[in-house]
Amino acid sequence: MDITIINMVAGLLLIAAPLYVFYRFKTNLIRSSIVSLARMIVQMSLIGIYLQYLFTWNNALINIAWVAVMVVVAASTAIRRTHLRWQTALLPVAGGFFTASMLVGMFFLFIVLRLPNPFDSRYFIPIMGILMGNMLSVAVIALSTYFDSLRRETTLYYYLLGNGATHLEAITPFIRKAIEKSFTPCIANMAVMGLVSLPGTITGQILGGSSPGIAVKYQIMIIIITFSASMVSLAVTLYLTDRKSFDSYGRLTLTHTND
């Protein structure tokens, strides 16, 4: 069932509830909410138009180029949110996103779904978008935790090195903390999936006409591939950033901006 423009306008009236609460309690969220809402509508409308062309062309090279654009945007967003230096983090974060999305995404499309053409726009673009969104959330929490911990507890890092630990052994406590903090919400959400919340994939597929059984199978696989891709992305990102964050003597160099 399609949603008409008039019905879309009617649905937008629901935004009045949170805006009223923001106004009633004199928060500073009204303007940012309206701006974000407007940006979201414009961006989603443009994406809808562009995806129509992507689906029509259905060209593997164009699809991969689009994923590359998503990778750059996601990496830039992660760097801004974590206040890392661009020259230190851009290539590692983008490399982590691209590597994980292609490895895990292609495994799902080619091995699990057994598509004759894994670059088919109908499947390739949505799957890559889902992976990218989840990897971004994990990366922001993990990178913030990892580098903030290193900066706060530099003494611990040098203490471990001074007592004979290798570089990997010295940074292991900080990596452990980053992994635990970034993946705890993912694990908690996975534990209550289907009982407390009905995921978007199931809802979308059922509304699109798929049977509940098929929708559930897709949702299970979506959770698995996003979980796996997030870990692969984080591992690659931390490995690559590590090479730029320490000098040849194992000393931590400047990783953050002054913002």
Side-chain angles (χ1 to χ4, degrees):
M1 179 182 295
D2 194 9
I3 303 177
T4 66
I5 298 298
I6 295 178
N7 291 340
M8 288 283 292
V9 173
L12 286 174
L13 296 177
L14 293 172
I15 201 69
L19 290 180
Y20 173 76
V21 175
F22 294 158
Y23 171 77
R24 176 67 178 77
F25 290 95
K26 297 180 173 58
T27 69
N28 297 320
L29 300 175
I30 296 178
R31 183 177 181 277
S32 60
S33 296
I34 294 175
V35 171
S36 296
L37 177 65
R39 287 185 58 180
M40 181 271 293
I41 293 174
V42 172
Q43 290 168 180
M44 291 301 294
S45 299
L46 293 175
I47 288 297
I49 296 172
Y50 187 69
L51 287 180
Q52 289 285 354
Y53 286 103
L54 279 182
F55 287 5
T56 301
W57 295 328
N58 201 18
N59 182 280
L61 292 179
I62 295 177
N63 292 343
I64 293 175
W66 176 245
V67 170
V69 171
M70 288 196 294
V71 165
V72 172
V73 173
S76 300
T77 302
I79 293 171
R80 284 198 303 269
R81 292 182 181 178
T82 53
H83 302 290
L84 295 175
R85 297 175 66 193
W86 288 86
Q87 57 268 43
T88 300
L90 181 58
L91 289 179
V93 176
F97 285 170
F98 188 79
T99 301
S101 61
M102 293 304 294
L103 286 178
V104 178
M106 293 306 292
F107 181 90
F108 175 66
L109 295 170
F110 192 72
I111 303 299
V112 178
L113 295 186
R114 301 180 66 184
L115 297 176
N117 176 19
F119 295 102
D120 190 327
S121 301
R122 179 185 174 190
Y123 296 93
F124 184 75
I125 298 299
I127 291 300
M128 293 300 166
I130 291 173
L131 293 179
M132 212 69 64
N134 283 270
M135 289 189 295
L136 174 60
S137 300
V138 169
V140 169
I141 298 174
L143 292 175
S144 295
T145 303
Y146 177 67
F147 285 107
D148 287 346
S149 298
L150 270 175
R151 290 202 302 173
R152 288 195 308 268
E153 303 175 51
T154 307
T155 303
L156 172 60
Y157 167 72
Y158 288 127
Y159 171 80
L160 294 174
L161 284 181
N163 282 272
T166 64
H167 173 70
L168 179 59
E169 291 171 338
I171 63 174
T172 292
F174 306 102
I175 293 178
R176 181 187 304 116
K177 183 183 295 186
I179 292 174
E180 289 177 347
K181 190 166 184 179
S182 59
F183 276 90
T184 295
C186 302
I187 296 172
N189 289 334
M190 186 162 49
V192 298
M193 192 71 66
L195 294 176
V196 176
S197 62
L198 192 61
T201 301
I202 290 182
T203 304
Q205 285 200 304
I206 291 177
L207 290 176
S210 297
S211 69
I214 294 177
V216 166
K217 291 177 185 177
Y218 269 89
Q219 183 61 58
I220 291 173
M221 290 310 306
I222 291 298
I223 295 300
I224 291 173
I225 64 174
T226 53
F227 195 79
S228 300
S230 296
M231 178 53 71
V232 172
S233 172
L234 180 58
V236 173
T237 298
L238 288 178
Y239 173 76
L240 294 177
T241 52
D242 182 79
R243 299 169 66 88
K244 291 189 173 185
S245 301
F246 298 88
D247 62 20
S248 58
Y249 297 100
R251 294 175 299 191
L252 180 66
T253 58
L254 181 63
T255 58
H256 285 61
T257 64
N258 294 323
D259 296 337

